[in-house]
Amino acid sequence: MFSFNIFNEPLRPFNEIYKCFSVSMLPGSERQDVEKGGKIIMPPSALDRLTRLNIVYPMLFKVTNVETNRVTHCGVLEFVADEGKAYLPYWMMRNLLLEEGSMVRVESTSLPVATFSKFQPQSVDFLDITNPKAVLENALRNFACLTTGDVIGIMYNNKLYELCVLETKPGSAVTIIECDMNVEFAPPVGYKGWSHVN
């Protein structure tokens, strides 16, 4: 009688180090879709390894600046990067204090599903948006995760708005895929006399 340990096998994490570049450095046609969200592009070998590992879907990753240990979380958009390279949205590079060609560690992870998040617009221009909650919810469809402390960029009417993720529940990093999340805004940086927008 054979005994197969299919179901009790521990999850083996995906853990690789890549040279990272902003999406604008990706060869081929311009990829604005990557800049609009929180997903990265990895090499085909990563997909090959991930499919052989016992990975939980959706694929979520912890991305760490190897030199500073700054961390964020993301999903993956495609596996078309050159081997040894990963392409990140510019806002993510900035959050992690990365320069073109810096080394990043990309590890598979699982995160709790978001129930709440609070954002602080980084400029008062954000108040010009008629329905900021709807704009944010629409932009977040391109994100897989939120990490407390990150400053994310969202595009609206050809203008980039930056929002600091002040708080996420139930953890400091959460997945926002297929979730029912309450969203709140803090007063924008530099604004006086703010009333709560919900």
Side-chain angles (χ1 to χ4, degrees):
M1 194 81 172
F2 293 107
S3 171
F4 292 103
N5 185 17
I6 296 172
F7 301 106
N8 295 328
E9 186 178 318
L11 294 177
R12 288 175 299 168
F14 174 87
N15 188 333
E16 289 289 329
I17 292 182
Y18 296 110
K19 264 189 173 178
C20 75
F21 297 92
S22 55
V23 177
S24 60
M25 307 291 275
L26 184 65
S29 58
E30 204 173 325
R31 295 294 304 269
Q32 284 300 319
D33 56 331
V34 188
E35 286 297 350
K36 291 178 184 169
K39 296 177 182 176
I40 65 173
I41 294 179
M42 295 163 64
S45 62
L47 177 60
D48 186 50
R49 281 212 45 227
L50 286 159
T51 51
R52 283 188 278 124
L53 295 171
N54 197 0
I55 293 296
V56 177
Y57 286 85
M59 288 189 214
L60 303 176
F61 300 94
K62 176 180 168 186
V63 182
T64 309
N65 178 331
V66 174
E67 287 185 21
T68 65
N69 277 334
R70 279 181 75 107
V71 170
T72 192
H73 298 81
C74 66
V76 60
L77 189 66
E78 290 179 356
F79 295 92
V80 295
D82 294 334
E83 289 305 323
K85 295 181 182 177
Y87 293 91
L88 282 62
Y90 181 68
W91 69 263
M92 199 179 288
M93 297 269 296
R94 248 188 22 214
N95 275 302
L96 293 173
L97 306 176
L98 294 166
E99 294 180 14
E100 303 292 344
S102 293
M103 304 307 279
V104 289
R105 179 181 304 280
V106 179
E107 302 168 77
S108 57
T109 190
S110 61
L111 297 171
V113 176
T115 57
F116 172 82
S117 60
K118 187 172 188 176
F119 297 88
Q120 182 179 38
Q122 297 300 287
S123 80
V124 291
D125 293 356
F126 191 72
L127 299 176
D128 298 338
I129 298 174
T130 309
N131 189 343
K133 196 170 181 184
V135 168
L136 177 63
E137 285 173 0
N138 188 46
L140 289 178
R141 289 187 184 134
N142 298 313
F143 287 74
C145 314
L146 290 173
T147 306
T148 302
D150 275 0
V151 175
I152 63 170
I154 63 167
M155 291 296 291
Y156 180 68
N157 283 348
N158 297 319
K159 184 173 166 71
L160 179 70
Y161 295 92
E162 293 189 320
L163 298 152
C164 180
V165 183
L166 290 184
E167 187 181 355
T168 56
K169 290 178 182 174
S172 60
V174 291
T175 176
I176 58 172
I177 297 170
E178 294 180 13
C179 73
D180 185 17
M181 176 175 71
N182 290 319
V183 173
E184 281 185 13
F185 292 102
V189 171
Y191 186 73
K192 307 283 183 267
W194 167 265
S195 64
H196 233 43
V197 174
N198 278 321

